[in-house]
């Protein structure tokens, strides 16, 4: 039977692609509908066993759309729409001037969908790897309210905040990462080359070695003998960990553990809550209902554990509970934030106070990120000092003992 490539959407609206074997396109459509998937496009294709490898290779080297491309696109769309340029003509101009070929293809697809009569938000939903659900929901709100230019400007500011947060954390952890990598490389070299050379010298003395030296020699012998096994176990552990966090339960557990990590845990918590508050303020100011705002914001926080708590808030609001009461039950907000939520709910200025909450968290995150390197450096120095002490005692104690014995003779 022939093969058919399909594009479809599941119950959550996510785009799905694949290849199925069937008598005709109607049979493929029946298969998809039977599994709860709505087909969008079904076309005949070659045997996937032959084309799959080429497709994998092409996807491997395919240029990816960067977050900066989407951010600049938001700023440019704001300028074009504010100047009265139609969306279709604006997208055409942006496609011609796009530096990224991958993003130019996305713009071409948006134009094709607009030409087919679809809305911009619906067209963007076809590219979940480029436009997040929050981004698409905000564009949808702009289309409904007629303030699409303002929405794009707010999205630009939101993406700028996200980018600054990532850059700050990356800058703060660069130096400690280099130190840790250097220490690991040094340990490998010492175990594979330095300690075996000293072990041969000590073996010629035929004397009893100190405990620390015997531990170092046995560790070195194990590393030399089983280094390939250690690499294989490390690779297996890495991919096993990746597979674990790819599951819903593993991702939830790992995101919860990250919030409790020393030094980095508080930064992750505050940056995540700042993202939540800023996104909620943006959605609320744009006229999104509370329940829908909490739904889209839960996709923005980028932490499955806190996202689950935000969904609990949404469920509580749906049952008629206040935002304050549902926020208290989550257990992730500080008392100051809860007080501001109470005031915002009472005065009807939740969006303004959420912006202030986001600003407060952002300032705290900025301070903690700036001092992160200063807090990590003493820990690294102590660890490096312990490592050097162990190596020095293990390597030079036998030489010192033998020299003292020869001097006494």
């Amino acid at each position: 039977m022939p093969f058919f490539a399909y594009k479809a959407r599941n119950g959550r609206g996510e785009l799905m692609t694949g290849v199925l074997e069937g008598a005709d396109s109607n049979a493929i459509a029946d298969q998809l509908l039977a599994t709860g998937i709505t087909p969008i496009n079904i076309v005949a294709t070659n045997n996937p066993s032959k084309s799959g490898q080429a497709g994998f290779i092409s996807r491997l080297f395919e240029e990816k759309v960067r977050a900066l491309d989407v951010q600049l696109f938001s700023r440019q769309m704001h300028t074009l729409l504010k100047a009265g340029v139609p969306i279709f003509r604006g997208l055409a101009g942006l496609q011609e001037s796009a530096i990224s070929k991958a993003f130019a293809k996305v713009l071409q697809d948006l134009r094709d969908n607009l030409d087919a009569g679809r809305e911009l938000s619906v067209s963007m939903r076809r590219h979940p790897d480029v436009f997040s659900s929050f981004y698409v929901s905000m564009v949808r709100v702009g289309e409904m309210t007629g303030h699409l230019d303002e929405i794009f400007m707010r999205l630009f500011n939101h993406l700028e905040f996200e980018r600054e947060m990532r850059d700050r954390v990356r800058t703060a952890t660069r130096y400690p990462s280099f130190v840790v990598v250097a220490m690991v490389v040094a340990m490998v070299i010492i175990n594979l080359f330095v300690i075996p050379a000293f072990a041969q010298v000590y073996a010629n003395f035929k004397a009893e070695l100190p405990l620390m030296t015997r531990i170092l020699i046995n560790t070195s012998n194990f590393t030399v003998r089983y280094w390939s096994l250690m690499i294989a176990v490390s690779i297996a552990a890495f991919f096993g960990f990746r597979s674990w966090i790819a599951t819903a339960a593993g991702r939830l557990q790992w995101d919860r553990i990250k919030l409790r990590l020393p030094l980095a845990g508080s930064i992750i918590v505050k940056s995540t809550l700042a993202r939540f508050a800023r996104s909620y303020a943006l959605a609320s100011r744009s006229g999104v209902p509370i329940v829908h705002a909490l739904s889209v914001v839960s996709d923005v926080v980028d932490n499955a554990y806190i996202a689950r708590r935000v969904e609990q808030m949404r469920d509580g609001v749906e049952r008629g509970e206040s935002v304050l009461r549902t926020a208290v039950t989550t257990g992730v907000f500080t008392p100051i934030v809860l007080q501001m939520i109470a005031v915002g709910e009472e005065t009807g200025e939740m969006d303004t106070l959420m912006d202030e909450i986001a600003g407060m968290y952002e300032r705290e995150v900025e301070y903690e990120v700036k001092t992160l390197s200063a807090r990590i450096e003493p820990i690294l120095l102590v660890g490096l000092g312990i490592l050097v002490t162990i190596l020095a005692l293990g390597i030079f104690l036998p030489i010192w003992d033998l020299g003292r014995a020869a001097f006494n003779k």
Side-chain angles (χ1 to χ4, degrees), residues 323-324 335-354 356-357:
V323 178
L324 175 62
I336 297 178
V337 174
L338 294 175
Q339 292 177 7
M340 298 183 73
I341 292 177
V343 174
E345 194 170 21
E346 185 175 352
T347 60
E349 297 183 358
M350 184 70 77
D351 54 346
T352 303
L353 289 177
M354 277 293 182
E356 294 184 9
I357 292 173

Side-chain angles (χ1 to χ4, degrees), residues 15-54:
L15 181 65
M16 303 180 65
T17 60
V19 178
L20 289 176
E21 184 180 7
D24 53 20
S25 59
N26 292 329
I28 300 299
D30 292 338
Q31 292 183 42
L32 295 173
L33 291 172
T35 59
I37 299 175
T38 303
I40 299 175
N41 186 28
I42 300 175
V43 295
T45 185
N46 296 325
N47 191 325
S49 62
K50 297 180 180 179
S51 60
Q53 185 177 2

Side-chain angles (χ1 to χ4, degrees), residues 106-165:
V106 173
L107 295 178
Q108 178 62 51
D109 186 72
L110 295 180
R111 292 178 58 199
D112 294 341
N113 282 272
L114 288 175
D115 193 37
R118 298 185 179 93
E119 295 177 334
L120 180 60
S121 58
V122 176
S123 305
M124 288 180 171
R125 201 178 296 277
R126 292 167 52 87
H127 303 276
D129 53 338
V130 178
F131 303 105
S132 65
S133 59
F134 178 78
Y135 194 102
V136 175
S137 299
M138 294 305 301
V139 171
R140 176 61 178 165
V141 170
E143 291 174 334
M144 296 172 60
T145 59
H147 298 288
L148 193 55
D149 56 337
E150 297 179 8
I151 292 296
F152 273 117
M153 189 62 192
R154 292 174 184 175
L155 287 172
F156 169 78
N157 293 330
H158 176 77
L159 295 175
E160 176 69 15
F161 161 71
E162 295 284 322
R163 186 179 64 84
E164 289 180 357
M165 294 292 293

Side-chain angles (χ1 to χ4, degrees), residues 190 193-218 220-221 389-403:
I190 290 173
F193 303 104
V194 178
I195 295 180
F198 277 95
Q200 293 180 359
V201 175
Y202 299 152
N204 296 330
F205 292 153
K206 298 180 180 180
E208 184 178 358
L209 299 175
L211 175 63
M212 186 64 67
T213 304
R214 295 198 302 271
I215 293 175
L216 289 178
I217 293 176
N218 291 331
S220 175
N221 292 336
T389 301
I390 293 175
L391 292 175
L393 291 176
I395 293 176
F396 295 111
L397 264 181
I399 299 177
W400 182 60
D401 290 342
L402 293 173

Side-chain angles (χ1 to χ4, degrees), residues 204-349:
N204 296 330
F205 292 153
K206 298 180 180 180
E208 184 178 358
L209 299 175
L211 175 63
M212 186 64 67
T213 304
R214 295 198 302 271
I215 293 175
L216 289 178
I217 293 176
N218 291 331
T219 303
S220 175
N221 292 336
F222 181 85
T223 304
V224 172
R225 186 174 302 174
Y226 299 107
W227 65 268
S228 57
L229 179 62
M230 294 172 64
I231 293 177
V233 170
S234 300
I235 295 175
F238 173 77
F239 285 103
F241 176 76
R242 292 284 299 271
S243 301
W244 176 63
I245 63 175
T247 62
R251 174 71 183 277
L252 179 65
Q253 187 66 24
W254 171 238
D255 284 348
R256 186 175 183 178
I257 293 173
K258 286 194 297 186
L259 302 179
R260 301 176 180 178
L261 292 175
L263 298 179
S266 62
I267 296 178
I268 296 174
V269 171
K270 293 175 181 178
S271 61
T272 304
L273 293 180
R275 189 180 297 115
F276 159 78
R278 186 71 73 191
S279 303
Y280 182 88
L282 176 57
S284 178
R285 189 177 293 112
S286 302
V288 181
I290 295 179
V291 174
H292 185 56
L294 291 173
S295 296
V296 297
V297 167
S298 64
D299 297 329
V300 181
V301 295
D302 196 26
N303 186 284
Y305 179 75
I306 294 183
R308 181 71 62 87
R309 295 295 180 266
V310 175
E311 291 172 358
Q312 291 178 1
M313 291 179 61
R314 179 201 61 196
D315 297 339
V317 172
E318 284 183 330
R319 293 192 300 266
E321 299 178 8
S322 64
V323 178
L324 175 62
R325 184 173 180 179
T326 57
V328 171
T329 58
T330 60
V332 296
F333 296 100
T334 62
I336 297 178
V337 174
L338 294 175
Q339 292 177 7
M340 298 183 73
I341 292 177
V343 174
E345 194 170 21
E346 185 175 352
T347 60
E349 297 183 358

